[in-house]
Amino acid sequence: MHVLERGWLSANNVLFFGRDQVAMVDSGYVTHIEQTLTLVEHVLHQRQRSGLDLLLNTHLHSDHCGGNAALQARYACRTLIPAGEADAVRRWDEAALSYRATGQQCPRFGFDGVVGHHTSLRLGELDWQVLAAPGHDPHSVMLYCASEGILISADALWRNGFGIVFPELDGEAGFDEVRATLELIGTLDVRLVIPGHGAPFDDVGQALARAFSRLDYLQADPLRNAQNGIKVLLKFLLLERQRIALSELPAMMRDIPLLRIANARFMQMSDQALATWAAAQLERAGAARSEGGYLLDA
């Protein structure tokens, strides 16, 4: 295995080198595609392999599958996606796939098969079990190698928490699903977690304790999840664009569906007030700064 740790705009990529197959889990965000192709090509060259045979997505948020189309074009690789997303991808329904709702980009891609709970896969000469991991995304999956105690957790478990509970922003259930996924991880003999973002870690028990504490905090007042979601969505757009005119922020709060919905359900602010609040929150956290009429990434 070879883990490419990518930061936060692009999810981590995990490459597997078997005797007869090179496989990869998740493909990053579209604006990083040249970097993704360069990194993959470099690792393939190091391993003296000529191409990528299989691409698998843990879920279809844009930071995990934005490179699919380019990788398919470069390597003609087979692609597996979570079973629950097959119809939306087949129709390329950008609303159902969350891209329209979040204001994010993802070039259209196809797929060759699906994976679901308890699907078995052979990757890198190891046996992996696909496990459903709803919560952050209803259709998300994880990969578990029992023989080595490795869990590819995507955004279901990070060293310090987990991904935004998106369904709760939109009026759907999500907190209980996050809890069930964390409880499932707790039943596994996991010695190493490869998360969707951040470095791999082995303090699994402590990470689970932090995740459960975080979940209790968010579930006690869903407004907290909405506030976190709005901040993270704005930060993602800032990572992508590097700067956003402050005068454009109110329109973004209105025109990006998930921001508008979360505001209407939880914040109930004017577009201007929400824009001012979100920018100030990012600045307070050291994640952005204002200068010359722009909100700049920091």
Side-chain angles (χ1 to χ4, degrees):
M1 297 173 62
H2 188 110
V3 179
L4 294 170
E5 186 184 343
R6 301 297 300 277
W8 293 94
L9 185 58
S10 284
N12 293 339
N13 317 125
V14 186
L15 287 148
F16 300 86
F17 296 88
R19 284 187 291 271
D20 303 315
Q21 174 182 267
V22 178
M24 178 170 159
V25 171
D26 289 336
S27 65
Y29 193 61
V30 62
T31 56
H32 280 179
I33 190 55
E34 291 303 321
Q35 182 184 73
T36 301
L37 292 171
T38 298
L39 288 168
V40 170
E41 197 68 39
H42 177 70
V43 176
L44 290 173
H45 179 73
Q46 282 185 321
R47 301 282 184 138
Q48 299 182 321
R49 305 298 284 268
S50 60
L52 181 67
D53 304 298
L54 177 67
L55 175 62
L56 186 152
N57 297 119
T58 58
H59 58 297
L60 298 187
H61 287 169
S62 58
D63 56 330
H64 289 256
C65 64
N68 280 21
L71 287 166
Q72 290 171 348
R74 172 71 61 89
Y75 298 111
C77 50
R78 293 179 59 247
T79 302
L80 304 178
I81 64 172
E85 300 280 35
D87 184 58
V89 173
R90 198 175 286 115
R91 295 183 288 108
W92 200 249
D93 184 340
E94 292 198 350
L97 289 167
S98 83
Y99 312 136
R100 189 173 302 158
T102 57
Q104 297 169 10
Q105 307 174 57
C106 186
R108 185 169 187 167
F109 59 85
F111 67 98
D112 302 283
V114 299
V115 294
H117 196 55
H118 292 316
T119 298
S120 295
L121 297 169
R122 185 80 170 166
L123 303 171
E125 303 307 314
L126 295 172
D127 292 319
W128 297 80
Q129 185 178 34
V130 177
L131 300 173
H136 168 67
D137 177 84
H139 307 295
S140 186
V141 300
M142 306 179 293
L143 297 174
Y144 175 57
C145 177
S147 65
E148 299 294 329
I150 302 173
L151 180 71
I152 297 174
S153 62
D155 294 340
L157 178 66
W158 299 337
R159 186 173 212 140
N160 291 297
F162 43 80
I164 301 169
V165 189
F166 277 109
E168 291 282 346
L169 300 181
D170 205 17
E172 303 294 332
F175 293 136
D176 289 343
E177 287 75 7
V178 170
R179 189 174 302 279
T181 295
L182 294 175
E183 289 173 347
L184 171 60
I185 295 171
T187 68
L188 306 174
D189 178 20
V190 179
R191 298 186 289 279
L192 179 71
V193 173
I194 302 173
H197 302 272
F201 58 89
D202 58 9
D203 55 335
V204 183
Q206 294 175 32
L208 280 170
R210 288 189 291 267
F212 277 117
S213 177
R214 174 72 173 163
L215 177 60
D216 290 341
Y217 172 78
L218 295 175
Q219 195 164 16
D221 183 358
L223 172 63
R224 295 166 177 165
N225 183 61
Q227 290 173 329
N228 179 59
I230 290 167
K231 289 184 290 185
V232 171
L233 284 168
L234 179 56
K235 174 62 176 178
F236 188 95
L237 294 170
L238 197 55
L239 280 166
E240 177 185 359
R241 304 179 190 184
Q242 291 301 296
R243 68 177 194 170
I244 299 172
L246 292 169
S247 61
E248 294 177 4
L249 284 178
M252 290 175 63
M253 299 297 137
R254 180 186 67 247
D255 296 339
I256 295 176
L258 201 52
L259 291 174
R260 182 176 67 249
I261 291 167
N263 184 29
R265 295 191 69 237
F266 297 101
M267 307 289 285
Q268 298 179 349
M269 294 180 171
S270 69
D271 298 332
Q272 180 63 63
L274 183 64
T276 300
W277 174 86
Q281 290 294 309
L282 292 186
E283 289 192 77
R284 179 186 298 177
R289 59 188 175 89
S290 296
E291 183 180 299
Y294 287 90
L295 186 66
L296 306 177
D297 187 42

